[in-house]
Amino acid sequence: MDMLDEFMDGPERFGGFSTGTLTVVLACALLSFGAGIASRRMIFPRLMDALSKIERIEEGNPFAPKSLRWMVVFFVMWYSLDWLSAMVVLDDGGLRESGPVWDAELMETVMTVAWGGFVVLVLLTAYRLVDYLDAFIVVEGDNMAARRSLASVAESIGRLAVVVVGFFVVAGLFGVNLNGLIAGLGITGLALALAARDSVANVFGAISIIVDQPFNVGDWIIVEDVEGEVVTIGLRTTTLRTGADTMVTIPNSNITNSPVENFSHRRFRRIRPSFEFEEDSNAAQLRQFCESLCEQVLADPRCTKPEDSWVRVTETLPSKITVSTNFYCASSGKTQREFTEDILLMARARGNESGLKFHEPRRRAQM
């Protein structure tokens, strides 16, 4: 300490700073920047590895947000200057006996700005770090869709909490007296409660969605005649991306009070093509068609639930005979499309083999 005090001592040369004091202040600034870079690129990733319960849902930048770096820079700078200012010793006449030689008023302003910047950056960093909550969310069975849903709601709650706390912190930082505002809340509480009724209902709707899990992020659903993929589940609304690539926002309270059809929870997909033959088709030919088509489709490895699969004559009219089918395949859109196409081609081949004529309305109109 004596060596540092001796180093900072000397005549004023640069704006009220001695050469030694200016050197120490610049060293503090360099130290602050170094601490900020190290905290973002080295310390934060190691802390995440040590504390996180599971890998993050989205593999992104492993480093902390840039606001954390600047938060550390402002804090280390403020702490260093505050430590240096504590070394100042004044004599009975108010003159400096030891400590840094600098412009005290200027450095007081710098420390105030550094502290204010640190507080604001703490709030900004907390808001940014909410995105990292998914590394601490673990669900039974490692259900990725459930993790996405929980992370979506947790991030919404976290951001709301940071905004509310930040409002009071920043107000206090600027010397705003909140006592009157808090007292006024008691008078206007009823009006606020009535105005926020829908918002509260939406928040409880989000909680119901997370608890009951009628769907998760990434599921394809239909709710209130809107069909699309669940993109986010927020505190107030749930966002769907439709097949037309548009975004639809639905209040959570509406979802909890409406039927939800979830296509992503299907265990299988149903295939039900039907075929129409001329009214003079022979019964034996029709029976041969039904049996041969059913046998060929059931032999395909993509076919599931054979006990519930069938091909039968379901309707006879004066102009045509209808044969309906019922088959199942795995819950895959690609498999369903390919299998449906193959069943149609099989039916055409089996119909020609059986000597049947497919119904053609235009031919009858010409006759």
Side-chain angles (χ1 to χ4, degrees), residues 199-332:
S199 297
V200 173
N202 289 327
V203 171
F204 279 100
I207 296 173
S208 298
I209 291 172
I210 294 303
V211 173
D212 297 336
Q213 290 190 352
F215 56 83
N216 290 304
V217 173
D219 287 356
W220 191 275
I221 66 171
I222 297 179
V223 59
E224 290 194 328
D225 296 327
V226 178
E227 180 177 355
E229 179 188 3
V230 180
V231 178
T232 59
I233 303 174
L235 275 181
R236 196 180 67 83
T237 61
T238 294
T239 304
L240 304 184
R241 184 182 297 278
T242 67
D245 203 32
T246 59
M247 303 292 284
V248 179
T249 302
I250 305 175
N252 289 330
S253 59
N254 292 13
I255 295 176
T256 55
N257 294 322
S258 302
V260 177
E261 185 175 4
N262 193 331
F263 289 91
S264 299
H265 286 183
R266 288 185 293 186
R267 297 168 298 168
F268 47 78
R269 298 202 178 196
R270 198 174 188 180
I271 303 174
R272 304 183 65 186
S274 61
F275 308 97
E276 297 175 346
F277 299 100
E278 294 296 338
E279 84 283 358
D280 57 354
S281 299
N282 183 275
Q285 292 175 321
L286 289 170
R287 188 171 289 109
Q288 179 186 354
F289 170 80
C290 293
E291 292 175 355
S292 61
L293 177 61
C294 188
E295 182 180 354
Q296 184 177 8
V297 174
L298 291 179
D300 193 294
R302 293 170 294 183
C303 184
T304 60
K305 296 173 67 68
E307 67 280 1
D308 296 321
S309 301
W310 47 264
V311 182
R312 291 287 184 270
V313 175
T314 56
E315 188 178 46
T316 60
L317 296 175
S319 61
K320 63 181 179 180
I321 298 176
T322 302
V323 174
S324 300
T325 66
N326 187 74
F327 297 107
Y328 299 89
C329 69
S331 183
S332 166

Side-chain angles (χ1 to χ4, degrees), residues 37 50 59 61 76 98 132 172 186 196 201 225 229 244 257 273 288 294 308 353 363:
I37 294 173
E59 291 294 338
N61 191 344
V76 174
S98 61
Y132 292 79
D225 296 327
E229 179 188 3
N257 294 322
Q288 179 186 354
C294 188
D308 296 321
E353 275 183 10
R363 182 186 304 168

Side-chain angles (χ1 to χ4, degrees), residues 1 99 112 130 144 152 189 214 218 233 265 274 348-349:
M1 294 292 291
T112 301
V130 167
M144 184 60 69
S152 179
I233 303 174
H265 286 183
S274 61
R348 183 178 182 85

Side-chain angles (χ1 to χ4, degrees), residues 60-180:
N61 191 344
F63 303 131
K66 294 180 180 179
S67 54
L68 184 138
R69 176 184 63 193
W70 290 105
M71 180 192 77
V72 174
V73 169
F74 275 82
F75 175 76
V76 174
M77 192 65 190
W78 168 82
Y79 186 84
S80 301
L81 296 178
D82 184 68
W83 179 70
L84 290 175
S85 65
M87 296 175 60
V88 176
V89 177
L90 303 179
D91 58 17
D92 296 336
L95 299 177
R96 187 191 69 85
E97 283 189 351
S98 61
V101 180
W102 58 17
D103 187 332
E105 184 176 347
L106 173 62
M107 296 312 296
E108 186 68 28
T109 302
V110 171
M111 283 187 287
T112 301
V113 171
W115 176 254
F118 166 69
V119 172
V120 172
L121 285 166
V122 165
L123 298 173
L124 181 59
T125 301
Y127 190 86
R128 299 291 188 188
L129 288 178
V130 167
D131 293 334
Y132 292 79
L133 286 176
D134 58 353
F136 301 91
I137 296 176
V138 180
V139 297
E140 186 177 356
D142 195 23
N143 188 332
M144 184 60 69
R147 280 190 65 204
R148 290 180 185 275
S149 302
L150 285 172
S152 179
V153 175
E155 290 169 6
S156 298
I157 295 174
R159 290 192 180 95
L160 178 62
V162 171
V163 170
V164 172
V165 173
F167 171 76
F168 287 96
V169 170
V170 173
L173 188 65
F174 286 95
V176 178
N177 186 3
L178 297 177
N179 293 332

Side-chain angles (χ1 to χ4, degrees), residues 335-348:
T335 301
Q336 182 186 31
R337 290 189 296 271
E338 293 176 350
F339 197 25
T340 301
E341 179 185 37
D342 290 344
I343 291 175
L344 294 175
L345 295 176
M346 292 177 194
R348 183 178 182 85

